[in-house]
Amino acid sequence: DTGVSQDPRHKITKRGQNVTFRCDPISEHNRLYWYRQTLGQGPEFLTYFQNEAQLEKSRLLSDRFSAERPKGSFSTLEIQRTEQGDSAMYLCASRRGQAKETQYFGPGTRLLVL
Amino acid sequence: AQTVTQSQPEMSVQEAETVTLSCTYDTSESDYYLFWYKQPPSRQMILVIRQEAYKQQNATENRFSVNFQKAAKSFSLKISDSQLGDAAMYFCACSRNSGNTPLVFGKGTRLSVIA
């Protein structure tokens, strides 16, 4: 396993701009999760996929946020019209679908909205 | 809904000593999993230890062990023989069912290890 990778690792943008993040899960992991972590807090769930199907979305995921996993492999998280409150670390995790499997986390994308 | 509470924002321990990090949780599920994750500075989160709620025996992983008190909804982490590399943020987390569902995290405890 090469691990979960995320790109970019850092992103600085101006308020109102759109940003897109990518997550590449561990191969053969059919479940993929997005979390958001702000300073001094634990990660908060945003959304997750089983293969290409988006199974659950948090109420934190406003209509400015959209996530896709078109072929059941990598996933993208887009934030439209960014706001300063969107500044956070965005974490991706993946796992196999079987019971008792562990979620493996990527290094995260740190977003700063100016 | 599930909630996880970590009441110790910061803890410190002398190298080679033992430290216990506290965690309480609330859930209406009968089947759930509990986890401790470690997040070193500027590094990614890794799993330290996990506990299935239906198991009465406390999980152990080398120097790491848990004290799982189901009735009290308490899930503390004990680190024995602390090492400098143990310095990190530690997050307690809970998930429903078999662990397929998203994790609910506490706010974390920052552990410092003093040489």
Side-chain angles (χ1 to χ4, degrees), chain B residues 15-34:
Chain B
E15 199 175 4
E17 296 296 309
T18 295
V19 65
T20 298
L21 308 184
S22 302
C23 172
T24 58
Y25 63 93
D26 194 17
T27 180
S28 57
E29 305 287 335
S30 57
D31 181 20
Y32 55 92
Y33 282 54
L34 297 164

Side-chain angles (χ1 to χ4, degrees), chain A residues 31 33 35 37 40-43 45 48 56 91 95-103 105-107, chain B residues 33 35 37 39 42 44-45 47 50 52 54-55 91 96 98-103 105-108:
Chain A
R31 298 226 171 194
Y33 305 79
Y35 295 86
Q37 185 178 20
Q41 302 294 319
F45 165 69
Y48 87 101
E56 189 174 338
L91 297 170
R95 56 163 282 168
R96 290 189 178 92
Q98 293 92 332
K100 302 183 183 182
E101 291 289 331
T102 297
Q103 287 189 29
F105 282 81
Chain B
Y33 282 54
F35 307 83
Y37 277 87
Q39 189 176 41
S42 301
Q44 61 204 79
M45 197 167 311
L47 179 69
R50 60 183 288 158
E52 290 95 325
Y54 65 87
K55 288 187 177 180
F91 292 98
R96 305 188 305 268
S98 62
N100 262 326
T101 54
L103 296 167
F105 286 88
K107 290 187 176 182

Side-chain angles (χ1 to χ4, degrees), chain B residues 45-64:
Chain B
M45 197 167 311
I46 57 173
L47 179 69
V48 175
I49 198 166
R50 60 183 288 158
Q51 173 83 41
E52 290 95 325
Y54 65 87
K55 288 187 177 180
Q56 292 186 334
Q57 186 174 7
N58 289 326
T60 62
E61 285 288 342
N62 301 316
R63 299 182 295 107
F64 300 87

Side-chain angles (χ1 to χ4, degrees), chain A residues 37-43 110, chain B residues 9 39 89 91 106-110:
Chain A
Q37 185 178 20
T38 53
L39 278 175
Q41 302 294 319
R110 185 170 294 282
Chain B
Q39 189 176 41
M89 283 293 290
F91 292 98
K107 290 187 176 182
T109 296
R110 182 176 303 280

